[in-house]
Amino acid sequence: MTLVQLNNYFNEFLKKENFPADPSRNGIQIENSSPDTKEIKKIAFAVDACEQSALEAAKQGADVLFVHHGLFWGDCEPITGHVYKRYSAFLKNDLALIAYHLPLDANNPYGNNYGLAARIGLENLEYFGEWRGMTIGVKGQLKNPLTIEALSKKALKSGEKPLMILPFGKKQIYTVGIISGGAAEDVEYAIAQGLDAYITGEIDHGKYHYIKECGINFIAGGHYQTETVGVNLVKEKVEKELGIETIFIDIPTQL
């Protein structure tokens, strides 16, 4: 399978065309030397494209790095300083880069949000929350109610800890909305729809009293920790369906 064929495979289910307002340049962001002919034998997966993830992927013999956060976010920037270091880590090692941002957040069942929903056992799933007219989150109901502490433990992997838990809602949680990453402001959707809890990655100072006054449970599970989900689900799909060797490069940001 070549790089072009691999990206076509990804886009068959991630469908970047359904997210036209995503500022990320979804799909191939950096080609290899022969995108139509060079065989892809090993794929690295990571949350972020950076110098460290590129060098580690190259060190482990990967031909392409698949990430959630790519290098390109709309506007162009001069290839100098740290930007040069990032790009050169790919180019000098003939390492290709494929990134899928909002398509990976929203995908059912391989995305961050539906993956988190599966972890906590949400049922009766519905799309939830919008950004620039694109629906990216998910909401649903728990078969059995959970406390906010139990919900947090289910949402995160063993050994991971949330950035913050705000237990400002019902003691027994039945309904949950999820938007991974940096979506603290989207708690307003959960409040408007009367959900018992909202899970995202981050929290900012200005939202604390708003969340408390509105009386909802809020879990900031970590931007990084809530977004390792999708890349690993895609990794598992590739291993099962394509039989290509894969690795996950874990570079936690503590945020």
Side-chain angles (χ1 to χ4, degrees), residues 17-160:
E17 60 273 12
N18 291 343
F19 300 87
D22 188 352
S24 177
R25 305 295 178 88
N26 293 301
I28 298 172
Q29 292 196 342
I30 298 179
E31 289 184 344
N32 58 19
S33 57
S34 303
D36 292 307
T37 57
K38 183 178 179 180
E39 183 181 359
I40 302 298
K41 298 180 180 179
K42 191 172 188 177
I43 306 170
F45 289 82
V47 175
D48 303 301
C50 59
E51 182 187 28
Q52 184 178 356
S53 59
L55 291 176
E56 183 61 29
K59 179 181 177 181
Q60 297 200 39
D63 302 298
V64 57
L65 176 63
F66 178 101
V67 299
H68 180 49
H69 300 135
L71 296 178
F72 300 95
W73 299 93
D75 295 336
C76 296
E77 55 186 342
I79 305 176
T80 59
H82 79 278
V83 178
Y84 173 80
K85 291 177 70 177
R86 286 183 175 183
Y87 290 11
S88 64
F90 289 90
L91 298 174
K92 290 179 179 179
N93 291 289
D94 198 24
L95 177 69
L97 174 65
I98 293 177
Y100 279 89
H101 182 227
L102 294 185
L104 188 59
D105 283 318
N107 187 263
N108 180 11
Y110 301 105
N112 293 316
N113 299 317
Y114 277 85
L116 286 167
R119 278 188 186 178
I120 66 176
L122 277 191
E123 300 178 343
N124 303 318
L125 301 181
E126 298 179 37
Y127 286 110
F128 162 80
E130 289 189 359
W131 189 74
R132 296 186 179 182
M134 300 172 290
T135 303
I136 56 175
V138 63
K139 67 177 181 178
Q141 301 172 338
L142 295 167
K143 185 175 182 179
N144 298 304
L146 294 171
T147 65
I148 191 169
E149 292 80 11
L151 181 63
S152 177
K153 287 180 180 179
K154 276 183 165 286
L156 300 177
K157 295 188 303 182
S158 177
E160 293 181 340

Side-chain angles (χ1 to χ4, degrees), residues 149-212:
E149 292 80 11
L151 181 63
S152 177
K153 287 180 180 179
K154 276 183 165 286
L156 300 177
K157 295 188 303 182
S158 177
E160 293 181 340
K161 295 183 179 181
L163 295 183
M164 184 172 288
I165 295 177
L166 301 181
F168 296 150
K170 298 176 181 178
K171 299 299 182 183
Q172 295 294 303
I173 296 169
Y174 285 91
T175 55
V176 184
I178 303 171
I179 302 178
S180 68
E185 68 279 4
D186 292 323
V187 67
E188 64 186 48
Y189 291 111
I191 292 167
Q193 295 179 34
L195 301 182
D196 299 333
Y198 177 64
I199 299 173
T200 186
E202 301 178 9
I203 175 103
D204 61 75
H205 174 81
K207 287 291 180 288
Y208 179 91
H209 290 291
Y210 171 64
I211 292 166
K212 187 174 184 179

